[in-house]
């Protein structure tokens, strides 16, 4: 499906991926796309944002929360708000897909004494202009993100292989 001109804009980009718009759940929303052909294992981008205090974490209504190891104590977790509209977090544009259809995954690469470092990595070869999808519930015994997609009525879009290439 070709994007209408008003949705055919680059929202953010780096050398490997760019954020633009994609059709999901009956409407146009932000999405992440391959800027070049990408090989399996390539780092696409870093999950950036604000590390929340416990109070901010408990009160947050953001849809862009990601956990990371705490660089001060790797046994503990911190929560990052990566809302791409607030923090220029390009990885926040990667939409959800069930694991068997996702073409990328997150890895917590945080080291002791460093900073939070969560990376989005290509799970397979991704051709240029293909949408980047990730399973946000990966590794979870429950599926909170999938449940949100069901409640929003767009879960069917997350069950499909999402390889749409835009010209």
């Amino acid at each position: 499906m070709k994007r209408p001109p008003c949705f055919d804009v680059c929202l953010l980009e780096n050398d490997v991926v760019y954020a633009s718009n994609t059709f999901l759940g009956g409407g146009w929303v932000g999405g992440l796309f391959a800027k070049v052909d990408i090989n399996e294992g390539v780092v696409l981008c870093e999950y950036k944002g604000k590390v929340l205090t416990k109070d901010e974490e408990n009160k947050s209504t953001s849809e862009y929360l990601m956990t990371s190891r705490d660089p001060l104590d790797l046994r503990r977790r911190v929560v990052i708000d990566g809302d791409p509209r607030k923090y220029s977090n390009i990885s926040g544009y990667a939409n959800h897909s069930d694991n068997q259809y996702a073409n990328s995954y997150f890895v917590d690469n945080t080291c002791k004494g460093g900073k939070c470092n969560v990376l989005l990595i290509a799970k397979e070869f991704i051709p240029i202009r293909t949408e980047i999808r990730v399973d946000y519930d990966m590794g979870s015994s429950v599926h909170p993100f999938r449940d949100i997609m069901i409640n929003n009525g767009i879960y069917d879009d997350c069950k499909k292989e999402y390889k749409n290439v835009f010209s």
Side-chain angles (χ1 to χ4, degrees):
M1 171 181 279
K2 182 120 172 95
R3 286 178 278 202
C6 63
F7 292 107
D8 196 18
V9 295
C10 181
L11 304 169
L12 285 173
E13 66 182 323
N14 65 20
D15 292 340
V16 182
V17 294
Y18 66 96
S20 188
N21 292 287
T22 189
F23 196 76
L24 180 65
W28 290 94
V29 298
L32 190 63
F33 298 86
K35 191 174 182 180
V36 296
D37 286 340
I38 301 168
N39 289 319
E40 178 183 344
V42 168
V43 174
L44 306 175
C45 48
E46 180 181 357
Y47 199 90
K48 296 181 179 181
K50 178 185 178 194
V51 176
L52 302 179
T53 65
K54 288 293 180 197
D55 189 47
E56 290 171 325
E57 179 183 329
N58 292 330
K59 293 179 180 176
S60 178
T61 58
S62 176
E63 295 178 349
Y64 297 93
L65 300 181
M66 174 70 69
T67 60
S68 170
R69 291 181 296 179
D70 183 340
L72 301 176
D73 182 349
L74 298 177
R75 298 170 296 175
R76 298 184 187 273
R77 294 269 177 203
V78 294
V79 174
I80 303 166
D81 180 356
D83 185 334
R85 296 169 302 243
K86 290 182 185 176
Y87 305 110
S88 297
N89 175 28
I90 194 168
S91 65
Y93 285 103
N95 287 309
H96 176 77
S97 187
D98 282 352
N99 186 46
Q100 67 267 32
Y101 306 119
N103 56 8
S104 64
Y105 59 93
F106 284 106
V107 170
D108 186 347
N109 202 33
T110 302
C111 296
K112 184 150 179 77
K115 65 178 185 80
C116 294
N117 188 278
V118 178
L119 304 175
L120 184 60
I121 300 184
K123 179 176 165 181
E124 59 193 43
F125 174 77
I126 304 171
I128 188 171
R129 291 184 297 279
T130 300
E131 185 173 1
I132 308 298
R133 287 295 192 98
V134 64
D135 183 352
Y136 283 99
D137 291 332
M138 183 107 176
S140 176
S141 60
V142 293
H143 303 281
F145 203 86
R146 181 185 68 192
D147 294 344
I148 291 169
M149 300 293 101
I150 291 169
N151 287 339
N152 291 341
I154 60 174
Y155 181 61
D156 286 342
D157 289 345
C158 302
K159 293 189 297 185
K160 298 181 210 167
E161 185 168 6
Y162 214 85
K163 306 282 185 192
N164 288 357
V165 177
F166 295 92
S167 55

